[in-house]
Amino acid sequence: FFGPAPGHGFCGFPTEHYPFRFPGPYKRAMTKRLSAVMALIVFAFCLFVGMRTGNPFSSTVGRAVVALFATLLLGMVIGTMGEKMLEENLKQQEEKLKNSSTKSEATDR
C-alpha cells in the first residue's frame, strides 16, 4: 500500500529511468529547489543585516530583492552545471559497467 507500485523504483520513478536519468518534470527539480532555498536564505540575511544597520526600509528591501534574483540565477547556473557533470559521470560509469560485464570469459565462471 505505501510502497512503490510494481515496476517502479525508489520514490515511484520507473525503474528504467532510475538511478541514471529522471523523466520529464523531475529532471531539474533539484536545481530549482536548491537555488530557491539559497535565494530565500540570502534574501532573509540581507533583510536582517539591512534592518540591523538602520538602513531605510525601501533600500533594504530593494537590495534584498536584487540579491534574491542574483542568487537564484547563480544557483540555477551552478546547479545546471552540476547536473550536467553528474549525468556525464553516470553515463561513463554505466558504459564502463556494460563493457566490463560483456567481457566475461570462461575462467570468470
Side-chain angles (χ1 to χ4, degrees), residues 57-68:
F57 180 75
S58 61
S59 67
T60 300
V61 171
R63 290 174 185 165
V65 168
V66 169
L68 174 113

Side-chain angles (χ1 to χ4, degrees), residues 2-25:
F2 292 104
H8 288 77
F10 181 69
C11 292
F13 292 120
T15 53
E16 66 265 13
H17 295 289
Y18 180 79
F20 299 109
R21 289 174 210 87
F22 292 110

